[in-house]
Amino acid sequence: MTTFPTNPDVIVVGAGAAGLSAAKALQVKGFEVVVLEADAHVGGRCITDTSTFATPFDRGGSWLHCGPINPLVPVAEQMGEDLDKARWVCNRVHTGGASLTGAEVGDYRQYHERMWDEIRKAGKLTTDASVASALPSSPWKDTAKHWVAQMQGGDAEFVSVADVSQFSDADGDWLVTGGLGAFVKRLHADVTVHLNCPVTKVDYSSAGVRAVTPLGTISAKCIVLTVSTGVLAAETIEFSPALPEAKTSAIHQLPMGLLNKVGLEFDPGWTGARQGEMADYTSGGDGFCTLLFGFYNTPLAVGFLAGRFADRMENEGAGTEFCLQALRDLFGNDVVKHVRKTSETGWRANPYTLGSYSYASPSGAGARETLAEPIDGKVYFAGEATIPTAYATVHGAYQSGLNVAGHIASALR
């Protein structure tokens, strides 16, 4: 039977990158912390699957985005992690029933750069609007716009252009050899986590806080909630008293987007694409995927499905077949003979996340700051959704944990 320490200083709900970094930072500062995780594993949305393929497959977070400014990069390097810094370039595009020529692919890539420039410019205006309203005209617009969902989790017409403009970007999306999820676990191996222990109620009506779980109730001076906005919006956790209206409004302005992956392991003899090569494929309408080849310079490719199309594919269990059809149209029908094994994720159905990561709805650009605000100096919030400059990233979640640990340490002392 699980037993908890008596009256710890802090309860942390969720053992993803945010919860683990908060717990570790607080422990280093001398505070007693209890970490409660509803799922059966540590890492939250960072899960490295080492059993399905010969190559580690990150089913959730996989990139050290914005490498030169990513706070996890120097940490990984100090730990001796091997970082794969291969540059990824889109060199194939299939749209309108045909594959583009090399010159057309070059034009398509240039439109990509212009599209994001225009989005960032539009986001600096005083009136928040949808990303769709900022997309420049081009023959490539209807294909390239799907990249908004790939990056944000939500489709262009549902995403705040002002929120996108706050993101701090830098050139370089790097991989951790062995998997990002495995690295997150190694980094926080000294943090004790109580697994299979969902919090069903948070009571902050009197002195301190109490967290109710199926394994018992635990009291502390304060609590850190790192669960997704999807879980908060679903009211899986009851709050007493109820959350303030501003907080609930912020939660609903930050819905969970969706990015699912299809792992595709080729036989080693297939030489159709190399490490760092990418292909965009659209079947018309919402149907779109991006394929990345040669992860870690191995035969592993990954297809990415995002936004409402990913929801549809997950509901139908059709994401893998869509990616296989993309391969057929890009490389010819015989290509699928070289695919030895596949695996498909389904983050919307995950009851502990209800999606992949947050995006802000139009007029919701300030919701991240509101979500991050503590309540009564007792209830704190962390996670990628609380970081305006690094939302939807693992390093954003990690940094949010460090931030909230600093606030709590100052408050308790």
Side-chain angles (χ1 to χ4, degrees):
M1 180 178 179
T2 297
T3 58
F4 303 116
T6 303
N7 297 320
D9 297 304
V10 185
I11 300 168
V12 174
V13 182
L20 292 171
S21 67
K24 184 167 183 172
L26 287 165
Q27 288 175 350
V28 169
K29 295 175 186 292
F31 296 98
E32 187 173 27
V33 183
V34 171
V35 183
L36 307 177
E37 169 57 50
D39 213 335
H41 72 274
V42 170
R45 285 168 265 174
C46 293
I47 306 173
T48 300
D49 176 357
T50 58
S51 61
T52 301
F53 304 120
T55 303
F57 175 45
D58 278 312
R59 305 189 71 84
S62 55
W63 304 97
L64 290 174
H65 287 295
C66 315
I69 62 173
N70 188 316
L72 279 169
V73 167
V75 175
E77 291 175 336
Q78 289 167 12
M79 291 176 61
E81 300 287 344
D82 181 22
L83 301 185
D84 188 334
K85 299 182 181 181
R87 183 174 178 81
W88 297 85
V89 178
C90 180
N91 65 337
R92 290 180 176 84
V93 179
H94 188 93
T95 183
S99 292
L100 303 188
T101 65
E104 289 172 330
V105 172
D107 290 341
Y108 177 81
R109 287 200 300 261
Q110 289 180 0
Y111 176 77
H112 257 271
E113 295 179 8
R114 183 161 65 95
M115 179 182 77
W116 289 110
D117 285 343
E118 292 299 320
I119 290 170
R120 284 187 284 268
K121 288 178 185 177
K124 303 300 182 184
L125 301 176
T126 55
T127 302
D128 194 2
S130 73
V131 169
S133 68
L135 299 178
S137 298
S138 167
W140 314 125
K141 174 181 173 181
D142 288 342
T143 300
K145 71 177 182 180
H146 293 294
W147 262 91
V148 175
Q150 295 270 319
M151 302 303 294
Q152 305 295 315
D155 294 278
E157 59 266 44
F158 303 127
V159 176
S160 158
V161 70
D163 188 58
V164 174
S165 72
Q166 297 182 88
F167 189 88
S168 296
D169 203 3
D171 189 23
D173 292 328
W174 302 337
L175 297 168
V176 180
T177 301
L180 183 56
F183 162 64
V184 169
K185 287 182 68 175
R186 285 192 295 271
L187 177 58
H188 302 97
D190 52 350
V191 176
T192 299
V193 177
H194 298 275
L195 300 174
N196 301 304
C197 190
V199 172
T200 56
K201 181 176 181 179
V202 173
D203 187 340
Y204 63 104
S205 60
S206 56
V209 296
R210 292 188 301 278
V212 179
T213 81
L215 303 177
T217 299
I218 182 169
S219 300
K221 296 173 183 175
C222 61
I223 191 167
V224 181
L225 292 157
T226 71
V227 299
S228 74
T229 55
V231 170
L232 291 171
E235 299 182 0
T236 302
I237 301 173
E238 177 188 354
F239 290 89
S240 179
L243 293 176
E245 183 177 348
K247 187 73 71 175
T248 57
S249 176
I251 291 167
H252 288 286
Q253 287 179 312
L254 297 168
M256 287 294 281
L258 185 61
L259 180 73
N260 276 332
K261 300 180 180 182
V262 176
L264 302 150
E265 186 176 60
F266 286 84
D267 65 58
W270 186 71
T271 58
R274 298 176 299 174
Q275 181 186 31
E277 294 186 0
M278 300 168 53
D280 281 359
Y281 172 84
T282 178
S283 62
D286 291 335
F288 181 85
C289 71
T290 294
L291 295 161
L292 282 73
F293 299 94
F295 272 70
Y296 314 105
N297 202 24
T298 74
L300 180 66
V302 179
F304 292 82
L305 305 159
R308 61 183 168 225
F309 182 67
D311 270 304
R312 193 180 106 200
M313 291 293 97
E314 182 174 331
N315 288 337
E316 297 175 3
T320 298
E321 179 51 39
F322 186 83
C323 289
L324 291 174
Q325 185 58 50
L327 288 172
R328 293 186 190 100
D329 287 342
L330 286 160
F331 297 98
N333 289 333
D334 285 347
V335 68
V336 296
K337 297 178 182 177
H338 297 280
V339 178
R340 300 193 305 186
K341 193 179 295 185
T342 66
S343 182
E344 183 176 342
T345 68
W347 284 100
R348 183 67 75 197
N350 186 312
Y352 306 119
T353 63
L354 298 175
S356 301
Y357 41 74
S358 67
Y359 64 88
S361 302
S363 77
R368 300 191 188 280
E369 291 92 336
T370 302
L371 178 61
E373 293 173 0
I375 302 174
D376 297 342
K378 294 185 289 186
V379 182
Y380 293 80
F381 296 82
E384 55 82 17
T386 67
I387 298 291
T389 58
Y391 60 85
T393 68
V394 176
H395 74 270
Y398 170 81
Q399 187 63 56
S400 77
L402 299 183
N403 292 348
V404 81
H407 294 320
I408 290 172
S410 297
L412 292 184
R413 284 175 177 159

